[in-house]
């Protein structure tokens, strides 16, 4: 049949389609990169490729605490929130995937509700609560809501992964005299590691991206994260818009994403689809 | 105290009836306890961060509470809701939010489906297409939004230059168009990946059989692919709709909510941080929460969307 052999015309067609997709995905990112290399005068020229190149924007942002400190905050808050969320979500997901207990439906319903929750609804009351108990403008003030919003993602993704694990091994361990807890830690946890890495990546990307809580619950460099800091950049004078430095900072916070995507794209795709579309 | 009161008459029968109405065996109880123990920390965090603040927001929304006038706090019943619902700002923000959601989700669904087909069917370069598509998904929304903002700024943006130095961000409908564009660029890959997972569940045999029977490509798509993908499509659309209903980042950076482009989330934020009004801000929070609940309810009851994850409980 003709359909089996691919004609060169078909190949050309697919190649063109693929190129269009890749171009559409990359052009806005390349535009940001181009802006970040433009000199202040070149920025006022709308051409896509910089007329004059400079590293100045990068040296400027990387030499002030205005950006370095938020970067450290972002990494620290993201890592801690991810760690806590993955540990708690693994425990719950194990129970959901493996154990019989009343209230499982309630847990799943609750996670679903939170996954759909409008974050803005929390901002006003959380702002008030955090100010009252001294969490406002601290790392824990952001870590706690990030853990809460990372948990539903984690529970869904992980319970989907956990259902794929060969559980006969757990039974074998129990026959050999292991308690359910030992079976979890010694046998299942190592098998579950790939799913946990995937979940950790997704939760970290969420924390890294988050903006609404980050501008609402922080007020100084002590806890402001990198995305929030972009909104507070100041130019060389009060009246210049710091386009170049903002573009450079945007590129810097995008680099980890690009690295993650290049290294872990299979895992990211598996994780994204495992939680949402199964069965 | 007395753990052996089950008085199981013959261990074998209780083993068989395990999980039914029979008294619980020691193992089943241990399993129960472990289940609760493992879930407890996650449940506590989720309740502490959502249920409690929402309850508190309900309480705050019934008070006159302006941070600038801390001594004038007073219980005023539903007056805040009355103030919000009779304000043209609320209705304009709601209309803008619904417009952005409907337009961006519709276009994202169509483009996402096309992208999913490309990723599913392409003969080569599948890996590079997927890698490229994941970048918009992963990129920090705020970073991308600055890119769009500068691209549409007259005198410095390539897109503005392409369209006769236009300044779309200063006009309500054009600005909404730019916001929708930024949303579509950012979320199409996510939609495509969810749909791709659904697409891979459509059996190849069925497609081949239809092809032998003389069905055209379009007929196969409408009669076979779409019906089989319905659950995946509905879940993806539900998630995208709820997500775009809370749109904040793109608008905040692109227009700051000026020129009639404020979404309900922007309105709630401004009420808290510019007007410093906790009472009104909380009333807006609760109204947004109710809107989201209605959307989810309509999808799950009206369209028969299986709530994602409901199959987990059946194990």
């Amino acid at each position: 049949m003709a359909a089996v052999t691919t004609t060169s015309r078909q190949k050309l067609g697919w190649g063109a389609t693929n190129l269009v997709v890749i171009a559409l995905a990359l052009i806005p990112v390349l535009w940001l990169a181009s802006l970040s290399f433009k000199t202040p005068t070149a920025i006022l020229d709308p051409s896509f490729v910089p007329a004059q190149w400079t590293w100045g924007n990068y040296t400027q942002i990387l030499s002030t605490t205005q950006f370095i400190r938020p970067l450290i905050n972002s990494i620290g808050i993201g890592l801690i929130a991810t760690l806590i969320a993955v540990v708690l979500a693994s425990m719950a997901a194990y129970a959901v995937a493996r154990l019989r207990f009343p209230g499982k439906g309630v847990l799943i319903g609750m996670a679903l509700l939170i996954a759909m929750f409008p974050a803005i609804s929390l901002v006003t009351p959380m702002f008030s609560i955090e100010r009252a108990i001294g969490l406002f403008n601290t790392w824990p003030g952001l870590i706690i809501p990030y853990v809460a919003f990372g948990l539903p993602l984690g529970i869904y993704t992980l319970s989907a992964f956990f259902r794929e694990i060969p559980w006969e091994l757990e039974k074998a361990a129990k026959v050999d005299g292991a308690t359910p807890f030992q079976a979890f830690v010694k046998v299942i946890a190592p098998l579950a590691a790939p799913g946990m890495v995937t979940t950790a990546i997704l939760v970290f990307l969420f924390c890294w991206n988050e903006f609404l809580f980050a501008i609402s619950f922080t007020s100084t460099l002590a806890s402001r994260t990198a995305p929030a800091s972009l909104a507070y950049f100041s130019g060389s004078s009060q009246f210049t818009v710091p386009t170049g430095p903002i573009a450079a900072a945007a590129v810097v916070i995008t680099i980890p994403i690009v690295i993650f995507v290049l290294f872990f794209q299979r895992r990211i795709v598996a994780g994204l689809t495992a939680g949402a579309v199964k069965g | 105290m007395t753990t052996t009161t089950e008085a199981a008459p013959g261990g074998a029968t209780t083993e068989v009836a395990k999980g039914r109405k029979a008294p619980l065996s020691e193992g089943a109880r241990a399993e129960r306890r472990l289940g609760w123990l493992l879930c407890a920390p996650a449940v506590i965090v989720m309740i502490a961060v959502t249920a409690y603040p929402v309850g508190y927001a309900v309480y705050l929304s019934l008070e006159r509470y302006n941070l600038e006038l801390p001594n004038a706090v007073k219980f005023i019943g539903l007056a805040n809701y009355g103030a919000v619902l009779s304000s043209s700002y609320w209705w304009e923000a709601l209309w803008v939010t619904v417009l952005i959601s409907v337009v961006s989700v519709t276009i994202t669904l169509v483009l996402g489906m096309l992208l999913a087909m490309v990723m599913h069917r392409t003969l080569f370069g599948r890996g590079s297409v997927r890698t490229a598509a994941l970048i918009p998904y992963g990129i920090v929304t705020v970073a991308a939004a600055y890119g769009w903002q500068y691209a549409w700024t007259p005198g410095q943006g390539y897109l503005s230059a392409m369209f006769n130095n236009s300044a779309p961000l200063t006009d309500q409908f054009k600005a909404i168009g730019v916001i929708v564009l930024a949303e579509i660029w950012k979320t199409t890959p996510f939609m495509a990946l969810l749909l791709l997972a659904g697409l891979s569940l459509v059996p190849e045999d069925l497609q081949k059989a239809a092809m032998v029977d003389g069905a055209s490509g379009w007929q196969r798509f409408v009669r076979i692919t779409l019906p089989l993908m319905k659950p995946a499509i509905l879940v993806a659309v539900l998630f995208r709709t709820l997500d775009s209903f809370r749109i904040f980042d793109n608008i905040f950076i692109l227009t700051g909510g000026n020129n009639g482009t404020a979404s309900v989330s922007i309105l709630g934020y401004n009420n808290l941080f510019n007007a410093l009004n906790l009472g009104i801000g909380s009333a807006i929070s609760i109204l947004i929460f109710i809107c989201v609940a209605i959307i989810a309810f309509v999808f799950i009851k009206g369209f028969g969307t299986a709530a994602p994850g409901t199959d987990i409980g059946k194990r």
Side-chain angles (χ1 to χ4, degrees):
Chain A
M1 297 276 272
V4 182
T5 53
T6 53
T7 63
S8 53
R9 258 187 65 197
Q10 271 176 310
K11 267 194 180 167
L12 208 68
W14 280 118
T17 317
N18 291 353
L19 274 181
V20 169
V21 171
I22 294 169
L24 287 177
L26 291 187
I27 284 173
V29 182
L30 293 177
W31 163 247
L32 263 180
S34 149
L35 274 178
S36 74
F37 287 113
K38 283 183 174 177
T39 59
T41 44
I43 277 181
L44 296 173
D45 158 33
S47 63
F48 201 92
V49 181
Q52 301 152 285
W53 294 70
T54 174
W55 283 99
N57 296 316
Y58 288 94
T59 49
Q60 187 189 330
I61 57 162
L62 295 176
S63 61
T64 61
T65 50
Q66 219 189 108
F67 183 63
I68 293 292
R69 182 62 216 242
L71 206 56
I72 295 170
N73 291 337
S74 256
I75 295 170
I77 290 170
L79 287 180
I80 297 172
T82 303
L83 182 73
I84 300 174
V86 170
V87 170
L88 298 189
S90 313
M91 290 161 55
Y94 173 83
V96 167
R98 285 304 294 161
L99 303 175
R100 267 174 236 259
F101 62 96
K104 197 191 278 187
V106 176
L107 174 82
I108 291 166
M110 187 194 285
L112 183 64
L113 268 180
I114 293 173
M116 296 176 171
F117 206 87
I120 186 72
S121 291
L122 285 184
V123 167
T124 305
M126 281 284 280
F127 174 76
S128 181
I129 294 169
E130 292 208 345
R131 274 167 22 110
I133 58 177
L135 282 180
F136 181 72
N137 199 27
T138 63
W139 277 25
L142 281 181
I143 290 173
I144 294 169
Y146 286 179
V147 169
F149 277 83
L151 274 173
L153 185 68
I155 292 174
Y156 278 121
T157 318
L158 279 168
S159 49
F161 273 108
F162 283 1
R163 273 175 295 162
E164 310 287 316
I165 290 175
W167 293 98
E168 299 74 28
L169 289 176
E170 186 197 32
K171 261 186 198 145
K174 277 186 183 158
V175 169
D176 289 347
T179 64
F181 184 70
Q182 282 173 321
F184 172 66
V185 171
K186 301 219 165 134
V187 180
I188 295 309
L191 282 172
M196 290 166 78
V197 171
T198 304
T199 310
I201 294 168
L202 294 182
V203 174
F204 186 81
L205 285 182
F206 160 73
C207 299
W208 189 255
N209 256 312
E210 209 287 329
F211 181 62
L212 177 55
F213 291 157
I215 52 164
S216 302
F217 302 152
T218 65
S219 59
T220 66
L221 290 178
S223 64
R224 187 176 290 153
T225 61
S229 76
L230 291 192
Y232 290 93
F233 265 31
S234 49
S236 47
S237 85
Q238 207 183 330
F239 304 103
T240 48
V241 182
T243 306
I246 287 182
V251 170
V252 171
I253 60 176
T254 306
I255 289 170
I257 308 301
V258 175
I259 295 174
F260 268 34
V261 165
L262 288 179
F263 276 96
F264 298 111
Q265 55 161 306
R266 259 164 225 287
R267 288 191 187 289
I268 295 173
V269 172
L272 279 177
T273 48
V277 199
K278 263 280 155 85
Chain B
M1 292 291 268
T2 50
T3 40
T4 47
T5 37
E6 288 126 57
T13 44
T14 36
E15 266 307 305
V16 174
K18 188 182 167 194
R20 306 279 187 281
K21 284 288 173 194
L24 290 169
S25 71
E26 190 60 34
R29 279 171 165 233
E31 194 173 313
R32 239 182 194 213
R33 236 177 292 132
L34 181 67
W36 284 332
L37 208 68
L38 288 174
C39 291
V43 171
I44 290 168
V45 173
M46 290 195 286
I47 289 181
V49 177
T50 54
Y52 175 70
V54 168
Y56 184 58
V58 172
Y59 167 76
L60 282 177
S61 71
L62 302 176
E63 286 195 322
R64 184 172 71 206
Y65 193 164
N66 192 318
L67 284 175
E68 282 172 330
L69 307 163
N71 297 322
V73 177
K74 190 181 157 206
F75 182 84
I76 51 168
L78 294 173
N80 283 329
Y81 291 94
V84 174
L85 291 176
S86 60
S87 148
S88 62
Y89 289 114
W90 162 260
W91 293 108
E92 183 174 40
L94 188 63
W95 151 244
V96 166
T97 312
V98 170
L99 181 70
I100 291 176
S101 301
V102 171
V103 175
S104 71
V105 172
T106 310
I107 299 177
T108 306
L109 177 63
V110 174
L111 291 180
M113 188 59 108
L114 287 173
L115 181 55
M117 301 274 225
V118 169
M119 290 200 271
H120 190 61
R121 291 260 169 243
T122 192
L123 299 171
F124 56 91
R126 188 174 303 179
S128 45
V129 170
R130 193 170 62 177
T131 310
L134 275 174
I135 288 175
Y137 159 75
I139 198 171
V140 177
T141 314
V142 176
Y146 272 111
W148 291 113
Q149 196 210 356
Y150 297 143
W152 287 109
T153 303
Q156 53 169 296
Y158 70 104
L159 288 174
S160 173
M162 273 164 64
F163 293 88
N164 297 325
N165 264 339
S166 63
L169 292 172
T170 53
D171 173 89
Q172 183 180 21
F173 279 95
K174 285 182 191 161
I176 289 176
V178 172
I179 292 164
V180 166
L181 186 76
E183 280 286 290
I184 293 170
W185 180 78
K186 166 90 180 133
T187 58
T188 299
F190 178 70
M191 180 70 101
L193 289 172
L194 290 189
L195 294 177
L196 182 62
L199 208 56
S200 60
L201 297 178
V202 178
E204 202 65 21
D205 298 358
L206 219 54
Q207 297 275 16
K208 285 214 180 99
M211 215 192 299
V212 169
D213 289 347
S216 69
W218 175 250
Q219 281 174 322
R220 273 178 282 139
F221 178 70
V222 174
R223 297 282 172 79
I224 299 173
T225 312
L226 275 188
L228 283 171
M229 281 182 70
K230 195 184 157 210
I233 292 174
L234 283 174
V235 168
V237 170
L238 169 65
F239 265 104
R240 277 298 317 132
T241 307
L242 292 178
D243 206 36
S244 73
F245 194 81
R246 22 180 197 199
I247 179 172
F248 180 83
D249 305 11
N250 267 325
I251 301 181
F252 188 88
I253 301 299
L254 280 167
T255 66
N258 297 320
N259 305 321
T261 57
S263 68
V264 285
S265 289
I266 296 275
L267 189 70
Y269 178 86
N270 285 342
N271 244 287
L272 180 60
F273 291 100
N274 298 344
L276 297 171
N277 197 323
L278 283 183
I280 297 274
S282 298
I284 294 175
S285 296
I286 298 299
L287 288 170
I288 296 172
F289 182 63
I290 292 170
C291 292
V292 164
I294 292 171
I295 296 173
F297 183 82
V298 166
F299 264 93
I300 289 171
K301 290 285 174 219
F303 297 122
T305 313
T310 37
D311 57 325
I312 295 174
K314 283 185 204 148
R315 192 194 77 81

